Amino acid sequence: MESGYRRRLVLGLAAALAAGGLTACGGDDADGGSDGKTKISVMGLPPTTQAANRAAFEERVREFEAANPDIDVEPVEYKWETTTFQAKLAGGTAETVFLVPFTEPGSLIERRQVADLSAEVGELPVVQKINPKILDFVRVDGKTYGIPIKSYTLGLIINRDAFVKAGLDPDRPPTTWDEVRTTAQRLKGHVDVPYAQLTTKNGGGWHLTAMTYSLGGTMQQEKDGKWVAAFNAAPATAALDLLKTMRWQDRTMGDKPLLSSEDATRDFAAGKIGMMINGSEVFNQYLTVYKADPSTFGIGALPQGGGNQTLMGGTVAMMNPKATAAQRRAGLKWIDFYYLRVLHDPAAAGTDAAGRKADNLPVGTPLVPMFDAATTAAVDAEVAKHANFPLAHAGPYIAGNGTLGFQVEPPVAAQEVYAALDPVVQAVLSRDDADIPDLLGKAEKTVAAALARAQ
């Protein structure tokens, strides 16, 4: 998506209630159903550790099958992981409908590892109402290969209790990296880790990318028709210098150089972390897995250092290239039912929000709107009646994002880029003598090889 694209953040959530949207399945090809039903498997069943989310998902499956008696849905407990998904896809065990982050569609389409939905997607008119700049993620040469279902931006998650204890105003989180540093110093003594940075499972590279954007840099640039690495420059160096200073001079980043998103969310929910970069959806685990207090959760826009940009990510629903036409139609019906309906149908959104609130599931988490302003406003009005997300604590995030450009993730081999940068961030937080230019130079060579393979 072009960097100048800006949208105000508003409410969003996932899951729908009503069926419909597509015409009846064609039945023009085999799909493995001896009982005459079209069978599809769908990624996304929450693990047993998330009992309420899992029960809600299973209930939606039953409602969908009741409304579509010619379709049999098999929910699968699997969440996309960079280390396992390709093997799953290559081994022929990928679900009929699977979910991938915005980093993946380009490569999957290039390798012809996803189904072309162009012949069926016209039967789901609501897809044409999705913001075309978001839909462009899944369109190549006029063909449609997936359906974006969610989009978000990274921001600064804050522990409001720690802010109050430190005499800071939790309604005014840091807006610059200089302020992050001074705020972290104020938080010392009031929280175990004033500022935490992800460093593993590609999270280190992911968040370093966001910081680089905010400091005016980029990760890749096009040269002679090919994408090349562009992060070995002043903005990424400045980001790493800041982390190094906070870790070894200010002593405001704790002493654990290895930190995954799961680790950080757990520790934040336990009140051990004062600030960290992440998306608003981290609130979901904060509430449902760790049962933490929503009143202590706050979020501001991504701090800036001259870039006026934040990183935008999201999720796309795509389909197995082996899916038959009947399965592709059934899959699109499922995608609309479960993911899209609550984003464009106010009645469905309100009903779903009420049910999720009753189950103590997150309602009203701010996301980037997928549909036009009028549609989104009508949906938001219904969702807001039941929201348990502390919307008043997200004011700085929503307002701040209204002034920022949204920069997408690296266009080629993004996960390889992130993986190459993880050890760079780890080294900076592990050794006080870490040589940042040398680390970035080595990572650049690794990324160059990955980009050459991918293009």
Side-chain angles (χ1 to χ4, degrees):
M1 188 174 297
E2 65 190 47
S3 60
Y5 170 55
R6 301 178 183 180
R7 292 295 300 270
R8 182 179 62 85
L9 294 190
V10 291
L11 308 180
L13 69 166
L17 192 62
L22 282 179
T23 56
C25 293
D28 53 345
D29 46 13
D31 52 37
S34 59
D35 54 2
K37 294 184 177 181
T38 298
K39 296 183 183 297
I40 59 172
S41 55
V42 298
M43 182 190 289
L45 176 66
T48 54
T49 53
Q50 299 180 30
N53 276 318
R54 187 182 180 95
F57 191 98
E58 292 172 332
E59 177 61 21
R60 297 291 90 76
V61 170
R62 287 190 287 271
E63 291 169 357
F64 178 78
E65 290 180 330
N68 299 275
D70 56 341
I71 299 175
D72 186 9
V73 175
E74 175 194 0
V76 178
E77 184 184 318
Y78 175 76
K79 184 179 180 182
W80 180 89
E81 290 183 351
T82 185
T83 55
T84 60
F85 179 71
Q86 268 302 326
K88 188 179 175 75
L89 193 58
T93 60
E95 295 76 17
T96 311
V97 179
F98 50 78
L99 309 178
V100 298
F102 274 10
T103 54
E104 301 307 295
S107 298
L108 292 172
I109 295 168
E110 179 73 20
R111 294 194 293 263
R112 301 183 179 182
Q113 291 181 303
V114 293
D116 178 359
L117 307 178
S118 303
E120 296 82 20
V121 75
E123 300 171 21
L124 189 60
V126 72
V127 171
Q128 304 307 316
K129 297 182 179 179
I130 295 176
N131 187 303
K133 293 184 178 180
I134 296 178
L135 202 56
D136 280 348
F137 278 107
V138 295
R139 282 177 166 167
V140 175
D141 296 331
K143 296 182 178 179
T144 301
Y145 293 88
I147 308 296
I149 60 170
K150 179 172 57 183
S151 186
Y152 65 87
T153 62
L154 291 183
L156 184 70
I157 310 296
I158 69 165
N159 178 334
R160 291 177 61 89
D161 274 358
F163 268 58
V164 172
K165 290 175 182 175
L168 297 162
D169 184 351
D171 294 326
R172 298 173 62 87
T175 59
T176 69
W177 290 111
D178 288 341
E179 290 179 0
V180 168
R181 183 184 175 193
T182 56
T183 299
Q185 292 170 328
R186 293 277 302 274
L187 289 170
K188 286 179 72 173
H190 300 285
V191 67
D192 292 352
V193 180
Y195 176 77
Q197 185 87 1
L198 303 191
T199 61
T200 66
K201 299 182 177 179
N202 297 359
W206 180 35
H207 285 185
L208 178 59
T209 297
M211 292 182 73
T212 300
Y213 289 168
S214 73
L215 289 159
T218 187
M219 305 306 285
Q220 296 175 0
Q221 61 185 10
E222 202 164 10
K223 184 177 182 181
D224 299 328
K226 299 284 187 180
W227 289 94
V228 300
F231 57 78
N232 189 5
T237 301
L240 292 166
D241 276 335
L242 173 65
L243 296 177
K244 187 175 182 179
T245 300
M246 292 176 68
R247 169 70 177 91
W248 298 106
Q249 180 177 318
D250 298 348
R251 303 283 180 179
T252 54
M253 293 190 66
D255 56 5
K256 296 179 180 178
L258 301 180
L259 190 70
S260 70
S261 181
E262 294 82 3
D263 296 336
T265 304
R266 178 201 61 214
D267 289 352
F268 180 80
K272 298 179 179 179
I273 292 176
M275 301 180 289
M276 63 179 184
I277 296 174
N278 221 321
S280 57
E281 278 213 316
V282 74
F283 178 76
N284 297 357
Q285 283 196 331
Y286 179 85
L287 179 68
T288 62
V289 176
Y290 300 110
K291 314 297 182 185
D293 182 1
S295 69
T296 66
F297 187 96
I299 181 170
L302 187 71
Q304 297 295 305
N308 204 37
Q309 301 280 332
T310 186
L311 186 151
M312 185 177 77
T315 304
V316 174
M318 308 189 88
M319 293 197 205
N320 194 308
K322 296 180 179 178
T324 66
Q327 288 175 316
R328 295 196 294 270
R329 291 190 177 96
L332 285 170
K333 293 187 76 170
W334 166 256
I335 292 167
D336 181 47
F337 174 84
Y338 191 74
Y339 296 107
L340 297 184
R341 189 60 61 92
V342 292
L343 301 178
H344 65 75
D345 183 331
T351 301
D352 178 74
R356 291 178 65 82
K357 185 178 182 180
D359 291 335
N360 199 32
L361 296 174
V363 178
T365 304
L367 295 171
V368 176
M370 296 279 293
F371 293 92
D372 62 82
T375 299
T376 301
V379 167
D380 288 350
E382 293 299 319
V383 173
K385 297 175 182 175
H386 310 284
N388 54 15
F389 183 94
L391 291 168
H393 301 172
Y397 175 64
I398 295 172
N401 274 287
T403 69
L404 298 178
F406 293 173
Q407 183 78 12
V408 297
E409 300 182 86
V412 179
Q415 294 299 335
E416 285 91 337
V417 174
Y418 295 162
L421 291 170
D422 267 6
V424 174
V425 183
Q426 291 168 14
V428 167
L429 299 183
S430 300
R431 307 194 310 266
D432 60 359
D433 61 349
D435 185 334
I436 291 173
D438 181 63
L439 289 166
L440 285 175
K442 291 176 179 175
E444 185 178 40
K445 292 179 181 177
T446 301
V447 169
L451 296 183
R453 289 194 300 270
Q455 297 178 96

